[in-house]
Amino acid sequence: MDFLAEAFRRAWGLLVAGDSEVYGIALLTLKVAVVATVLSCAVGLPLGYFLATRRFWGRRAALTVVNTALAFPTVVVGLLLYGLLSRRGPLGGLGWLYTWQAIVVGDVLLALPIAAALSAAAIQGVDPRIRRTAETLGAGSWRTAWTVAREARFALAAVITAAFGQVVAEIGAAMIVGGNIRGSTRTLTTAVALYTAQGDFGLALALGLVLLMLALVVNIALQVLQGRGHA
Amino acid sequence: MLELRGVRHRYEGRVVLELEEFTVPRTGTVSVVGHNGAGKSTLLRLLALLEPPTEGQVLLNDTVVPRRAPASLRRRVTLVEQRPVLFRGTVRENLEYGLQVRDIGRAAAKGIIGDVVERLGLQPLLSRRRHELSDGEVQRVAVARALVLRTDVLLLDEPASSADRAAAGALYRALSAERAARPFAVCIASHQLEDAYRWADDIRALADGRLSPVTPENLFRVELPAGDGVKTVRVGSIALVVMTDRAGPAVVAVPPTDIFVSREPLPSSARNVFKGRVTGLAIEHRGAGVHVRADMGGVELVAAVTAEAARDLALTPGGAVVFSFKATAVQVF
């Protein structure tokens, strides 16, 4: 117990003192998570809407693929991406391996199925008359989609939260394609793993607490946004 | 003018609508009657350009509508569904929705909405949200939301199904006022014949997805004389005794089940007694009932009797028959 208490004390001290390493890692994690969440939702939400509302050949298969991708192991995504981004890989020319951009790509690949599959389910839950009504009142495709999305706003906010949760907590891909380079690609999860392995439990715990607070703040922010909505 | 030509529409392989031709004239009022499941709502969805027919064409003012109707064409037709929904937001925001879509400025939108709100008595509801409204109020708001758009064609699916009689009356009065101010085509689907009679330039019956040659029976347009109580009106060569306080143009209907059928005139309280000849017998209700058609001197009437009664009376095409019904049995719309 003393050991844990000591770790907590150290963690608190690092946070209060504004330790540059801790906050540097936290900021990088936030940057990667926000960019990856925005990108995955920018593609995933429209894709989910499309899958939920359009009838086309292969739709069921597409939904199955997206749902299966929900369970994609993060290390496998990291491995595949490593193959693509490595110097001899087809995307090696980009020079993105061991950069934060590579982590973003990995995170987007992992969060995209979440955004697409869960938003498809959310849109399917909207009364189909909403879409028909928007259309019969003359709304074009975008306006109709926006109207339907407004009706599913709570569920879609949960989708964004889930995507952010996936991205911020992900470690496999970040470790493999990011390389956990200090000051460059070290994120909260990779740092926690590293410092725990090195026996610096206090620092690892401080970073873990920051990670938890980050998730908490984002969730509270989304809840506040949801609370502003009326029926 | 909105037309369907050679339409066959399928859901999951099953033909749910089959219409060689269906037209809603430019400023006409068409009522489509039929039981639940007859295909009325499907017909309205095709007319509203919400979905293309599996086979056949939809034409708007003689122009073939593409399979994926562009918003510019959809904006000329609007549909109020049987159980309409309101969007998130206030009633006012709902009324503004279609106008915003059409890029109509705030000032102009306010004027248009004000007129319709006044006609439908929606002023007290403007700041309410959907969960604060009754079903009847939602229906009125939905009709108002469609009326403010001033489309060429207004399609209404059972527009008064959730409204009480007074609210339904207000709704129809508002439609009349709107049409008086600006002629447009209206097509109402209803299983309530009263709605149909009230509106019909043209009543069409739909049964199993097809236009039925059997329009609602014993329907006549008449001119009711002034005065209260019992009146006699001419329907072709026959004089119909009706009990009503109404005057002027009206539609009268005699429910086939209210007609008493006999071979000879019988002493009774019925004020309407017509002698004629049987022109057709049709078995209904899986053999339990028979529709007896008879020519009463140029006017065809239909009566419904049980199969047993038809047998006892030995009714045959060409045979003599007498139809009797009370003046109070005649419905006036």
Side-chain angles (χ1 to χ4, degrees):
Chain A
M1 284 305 288
D2 282 353
F3 159 71
L4 266 179
E6 176 56 35
F8 266 111
R9 263 197 299 277
R10 177 156 155 67
W12 184 248
L14 284 167
L15 290 173
V16 171
D19 182 86
S20 61
E21 180 159 9
V22 171
Y23 283 95
I25 292 170
L27 278 177
L28 175 71
T29 306
L30 190 63
K31 180 169 84 172
V32 167
V34 168
V35 173
T37 305
V38 168
L39 289 178
S40 58
C41 288
V43 179
L45 298 189
L47 180 62
Y49 179 84
F50 184 81
L51 290 172
T53 57
R54 295 278 188 269
R55 299 285 171 267
F56 56 91
W57 189 87
R59 174 176 171 268
R60 202 176 288 262
L63 274 169
T64 307
V65 168
V66 170
N67 285 323
T68 308
L70 284 175
F72 228 51
T74 60
V75 283
V76 174
V77 170
L79 209 59
L80 289 173
L81 198 57
Y82 181 89
L84 291 172
L85 292 176
S86 65
R87 205 174 289 256
R88 283 177 296 169
L91 301 176
L94 290 172
W96 277 7
L97 193 63
Y98 303 135
T99 63
W100 70 274
Q101 290 94 325
I103 306 176
V104 166
V105 174
D107 287 348
V108 166
L109 290 177
L110 287 163
L112 185 61
I114 291 175
L118 299 189
S119 62
I123 297 296
Q124 278 171 332
V126 175
D127 188 329
R129 289 175 299 170
I130 291 287
R131 182 165 162 240
R132 284 205 301 269
T133 303
E135 285 178 349
T136 197
L137 291 173
S141 307
W142 288 107
R143 182 72 186 232
T144 301
W146 177 246
T147 306
V148 173
R150 265 166 61 96
E151 299 289 330
R153 66 200 179 284
F154 291 130
L156 291 178
V159 172
I160 296 168
T161 311
F164 181 82
Q166 164 71 46
V167 164
V168 86
E170 190 278 318
I171 180 165
M175 190 72 95
I176 296 173
V177 297
N180 198 15
I181 301 166
R182 188 176 190 182
S184 169
T185 58
R186 185 161 295 172
T187 64
L188 285 167
T189 50
T190 58
V192 166
L194 177 74
Y195 294 132
T196 306
Q198 288 178 349
D200 193 346
F201 194 65
L203 186 54
L205 196 62
L207 295 170
L209 286 175
V210 172
L211 190 58
L212 278 175
M213 278 195 294
L214 209 61
L216 191 69
V217 166
V218 169
N219 273 290
I220 289 171
L222 281 167
Q223 272 184 15
V224 168
L225 281 177
Q226 285 181 21
R228 281 196 194 152
H230 296 286
Chain B
M1 189 167 70
L2 193 55
E3 276 177 273
L4 298 183
R5 277 192 202 157
V7 160
R8 268 166 84 89
H9 196 58
R10 293 189 186 85
Y11 282 136
E12 292 168 354
R14 193 170 64 88
V15 176
V16 291
L17 197 68
E18 190 166 9
L19 296 168
E20 207 42 58
E21 191 151 352
F22 188 95
T23 307
V24 182
R26 198 178 288 267
T27 56
T29 49
V30 176
S31 279
V32 181
V33 296
H35 297 293
N36 287 336
K40 302 191 296 292
S41 298
T42 306
L43 169 65
L44 291 193
R45 278 203 297 276
L46 297 191
L47 289 172
L49 315 179
L50 287 179
E51 51 188 292
T54 317
E55 285 174 38
Q57 291 178 323
V58 185
L59 292 91
L60 183 61
N61 295 337
D62 300 320
T63 307
V64 175
V65 175
R67 286 195 68 74
R68 189 155 170 74
S72 58
L73 285 183
R74 278 193 284 109
R75 285 176 191 164
R76 298 170 70 175
V77 185
T78 192
L79 163 69
V80 180
E81 294 203 59
Q82 181 172 2
R83 290 192 312 109
V85 285
L86 299 185
F87 300 132
R88 171 181 178 246
T90 62
V91 166
R92 180 181 289 284
E93 285 164 356
N94 269 273
L95 297 179
E96 286 169 347
Y97 184 93
L99 297 172
Q100 284 174 355
V101 160
R102 287 162 175 76
D103 292 327
I104 291 173
R106 253 179 196 281
K110 204 172 173 187
I112 296 168
I113 289 171
D115 289 345
V116 175
V117 161
E118 196 177 321
R119 284 198 190 109
L120 278 162
L122 294 175
Q123 192 67 41
L125 308 182
L126 282 178
S127 55
R128 291 205 203 159
R129 293 171 184 278
R130 58 187 171 192
H131 63 270
E132 298 168 319
L133 302 175
S134 69
D135 288 351
E137 287 168 337
V138 168
Q139 207 156 27
R140 266 160 65 210
V141 172
V143 171
R145 188 173 57 182
L147 279 176
V148 298
L149 303 179
R150 298 181 168 172
T151 51
D152 296 346
V153 186
L154 174 63
L155 307 164
L156 300 165
D157 197 352
E158 309 277 5
S161 62
S162 298
D164 57 33
R165 244 188 125 58
L171 196 103
Y172 287 119
R173 274 195 301 279
L175 277 178
S176 296
E178 202 67 31
R179 278 174 50 75
R182 181 185 69 88
F184 56 92
V186 179
C187 180
I188 294 184
S190 179
H191 68 269
Q192 289 174 327
L193 289 179
E194 189 177 341
D195 285 356
Y197 300 153
R198 198 185 292 269
W199 277 93
D201 284 343
D202 190 357
I203 297 177
R204 298 175 204 170
L206 209 57
D208 296 328
R210 292 183 174 83
L211 276 181
S212 166
V214 184
T215 47
E217 290 89 355
N218 307 337
L219 265 184
F220 307 105
R221 285 188 172 279
V222 296
E223 188 69 30
L224 291 168
D228 300 336
V230 179
K231 296 170 184 177
T232 303
V233 291
R234 293 226 60 92
V235 173
S237 60
I238 65 173
L240 215 56
V241 182
V242 180
M243 196 145 94
T244 179
D245 292 341
R246 280 187 51 185
V251 173
V252 294
V254 186
T257 48
D258 285 354
I259 297 178
F260 186 72
V261 179
S262 59
R263 297 292 294 267
E264 296 290 336
L266 301 170
S268 76
S269 62
R271 296 298 84 202
N272 293 290
V273 179
F274 304 109
K275 282 197 231 178
R277 301 226 159 257
V278 175
T279 53
L281 296 162
I283 294 171
E284 305 284 336
H285 302 109
R286 299 195 184 110
V290 173
H291 272 189
V292 184
R293 293 185 172 278
D295 178 14
M296 304 298 178
V299 176
E300 189 174 72
L301 287 177
V302 180
V305 296
T306 62
E308 205 175 11
R311 259 197 316 277
D312 289 350
L313 289 167
L315 297 172
T316 50
V321 70
V322 175
F323 281 9
S324 314
F325 48 92
K326 295 167 75 169
T328 51
V330 182
Q331 296 175 353
V332 180
F333 299 106

